[in-house]
Amino acid sequence: MKDALSKDSPKTKTKKVLRHLAGNNSSLNKVRRSLEFHYALIKQLRLKYKLKENKKKVSHAVIGSVIRKYKALSYIRSEIGIRNPSKDDRMKKKGTTIKRMRVDVHQYFERDDNSRITTGVCPTVTKLEDKRQKRLLLDTIENLYEKYRREAKEAISFTTFWRLKPFWVKQKTEKERETCLCKTCENLTFMAIVLYKHKVIKTFNIEVLVTQVVCNPNNKDCMFGNCSSCKEKQVETNIEDFNTEMSWNRWKTEKGKRTFKNGEIKEVTVPKKTQENGSLGHLMDRFHDDLWIKG
Ligand SMILES: [Zn+2]
Ligand SMILES: [Zn+2]
């Protein structure tokens, strides 16, 4: 209602306000005239206030004891667009509170009694080019909230607590409890299963195999492939003949064409399961190539 009114001219506004009043006597004309003047004045002040050099003058002129007496302070502020400095302060204060809380909540979530870093092949999460090491919560978010409330100096709502959680700290999903289903991990699993069947390795659990090629799965450098002592570490194997012929599955992406509902044909990439063949030595190389791309 107010928005629709503000687009109108002072004359139209007045007409709209008065449209339900019948008659055309002189007192109605007086009301009309006063209202038109009111809207014209507001409009003029608003236009003046828009210029930077006028801001102080205009607010000085319109804010005073009369306006206060008639309790029209917030009305005149919103009509002319004058910012409320005390409200700005409050917002600023709220901003710093949130900032401080964010630091506290981040520290809390990253503590080793509340979350742990992942030991899978994909230990990182990236959001807006910010690459972080993924951590998994050790308890339900409800329990962690209750615990935080008991420890925290200031009150915090559950919603704020949840909103301030760092994006790299995640709840375990059903998938993560089992295995990662990304392309890299699935390809690793295809190779691991074949190696396991040929009794080359003792397990096809990728998480366990990852721990064999790093000094310490809790060390960020090792997991990111930046540690010189484990950069080229290999999994424990039992190999009799490197030339044994092997074949394994691998996901590849292929360019394909897809027809959309509106008849448009677009090029898309589609994953395709392919079969690869090669010697055991070659397979081991491929396997380690993929395993070393940790993150
Ligand atoms: Zn993965
Ligand atoms: Zn290392």
Side-chain angles (χ1 to χ4, degrees):
M1 177 70 187
K2 208 178 128 206
D3 279 341
L5 267 178
S6 60
K7 274 188 212 119
D8 297 331
S9 72
K11 207 177 206 92
T12 318
K13 278 183 188 172
T14 308
K15 252 191 203 158
K16 279 190 177 169
V17 172
L18 296 181
R19 77 192 146 200
H20 298 302
L21 294 179
N24 195 11
N25 52 40
S26 67
S27 61
L28 187 56
N29 275 336
K30 252 186 200 159
V31 173
R32 180 176 294 124
R33 193 69 202 112
S34 304
L35 263 180
E36 266 178 18
F37 172 71
H38 165 83
Y39 286 128
L41 187 63
I42 292 284
K43 188 176 179 180
Q44 184 66 76
L45 286 167
R46 195 166 51 221
L47 287 174
K48 288 273 178 192
Y49 186 78
K50 272 191 181 148
L51 297 171
K52 212 178 167 189
E53 65 266 28
N54 287 339
K55 290 207 186 297
K56 253 201 179 129
K57 281 186 236 163
V58 173
S59 46
H60 263 299
V62 299
I63 293 173
S65 55
V66 181
I67 290 295
R68 282 211 177 83
K69 184 180 169 193
Y70 285 89
K71 296 194 166 52
L73 196 57
S74 61
Y75 174 78
I76 204 154
R77 273 197 184 117
S78 81
E79 286 298 297
I80 298 174
I82 300 173
R83 271 194 317 211
N84 181 347
S86 66
K87 198 176 164 194
D88 282 359
D89 279 357
R90 276 208 304 279
M91 292 306 281
K92 239 183 239 161
K93 221 179 198 174
K94 203 177 166 198
T96 52
T97 310
I98 288 287
K99 262 185 215 153
R100 194 181 55 242
M101 275 180 171
R102 176 175 287 122
V103 174
D104 288 350
V105 173
H106 272 205
Q107 277 170 358
Y108 175 77
F109 271 113
E110 290 203 296
R111 251 165 43 190
D112 287 333
D113 58 326
N114 296 326
S115 70
R116 65 165 177 91
I117 56 170
T118 54
T119 48
V121 190
C122 302
T124 60
V125 203
T126 308
K127 189 175 171 188
L128 299 171
E129 297 185 359
D130 186 4
K131 191 172 170 181
R132 301 294 187 131
Q133 188 164 28
K134 185 158 81 181
R135 297 185 72 96
L136 295 175
L137 293 177
L138 291 175
D139 204 344
T140 64
I141 185 76
E142 290 81 10
N143 289 348
L144 288 169
Y145 172 63
E146 285 309 320
K147 187 168 131 190
Y148 184 80
R149 275 218 311 189
R150 287 195 297 272
E151 291 178 12
K153 293 177 258 24
E154 55 197 332
I156 185 170
S157 71
F158 179 75
T159 323
T160 309
F161 178 72
W162 180 237
R163 204 158 46 84
L164 294 179
K165 179 184 75 62
F167 70 85
W168 56 94
V169 178
K170 300 201 171 268
Q171 255 174 319
K172 268 193 198 177
T173 61
E174 204 56 53
K175 265 185 215 164
E176 267 153 342
R177 242 167 256 142
E178 315 258 317
T179 46
C180 177
L181 292 176
C182 81
K183 214 179 78 194
T184 315
C185 292
E186 277 214 81
N187 282 338
L188 272 167
T189 308
F190 287 147
M191 292 188 275
I193 287 172
V194 171
L195 291 168
Y196 177 77
K197 275 189 192 156
H198 282 79
K199 299 196 169 62
V200 176
I201 50 177
K202 286 199 184 88
T203 172
F204 54 86
N205 180 323
I206 300 300
E207 259 199 60
V208 173
L209 290 165
V210 165
T211 61
Q212 293 179 5
V213 299
V214 291
C215 329
N216 176 4
N218 295 326
N219 186 319
K220 207 170 158 182
D221 280 337
C222 298
M223 294 306 284
F224 279 69
N226 294 330
C227 167
S228 52
S229 37
C230 70
K231 213 159 63 186
E232 300 199 347
K233 216 173 154 197
Q234 307 223 344
V235 295
E236 294 152 24
T237 51
N238 172 30
I239 296 174
E240 277 167 16
D241 184 3
F242 277 100
N243 293 318
T244 316
E245 274 305 304
M246 314 282 277
S247 77
W248 61 96
N249 289 324
R250 187 170 191 87
W251 284 109
K252 280 191 175 161
T253 48
E254 271 193 357
K255 286 224 162 85
K257 289 210 164 76
R258 210 177 116 196
T259 316
F260 287 83
K261 263 185 195 162
N262 57 6
E264 212 182 320
I265 299 170
K266 272 190 185 167
E267 206 164 78
V268 289
T269 52
V270 279
K272 202 185 160 200
K273 207 186 216 176
T274 57
Q275 203 187 48
E276 305 228 320
N277 304 296
S279 66
L280 173 56
H282 174 68
L283 172 57
M284 286 312 298
D285 285 346
R286 296 298 304 264
F287 185 64
H288 281 108
D289 281 347
D290 278 2
L291 205 55
W292 285 326
I293 320 172
K294 306 150 202 161

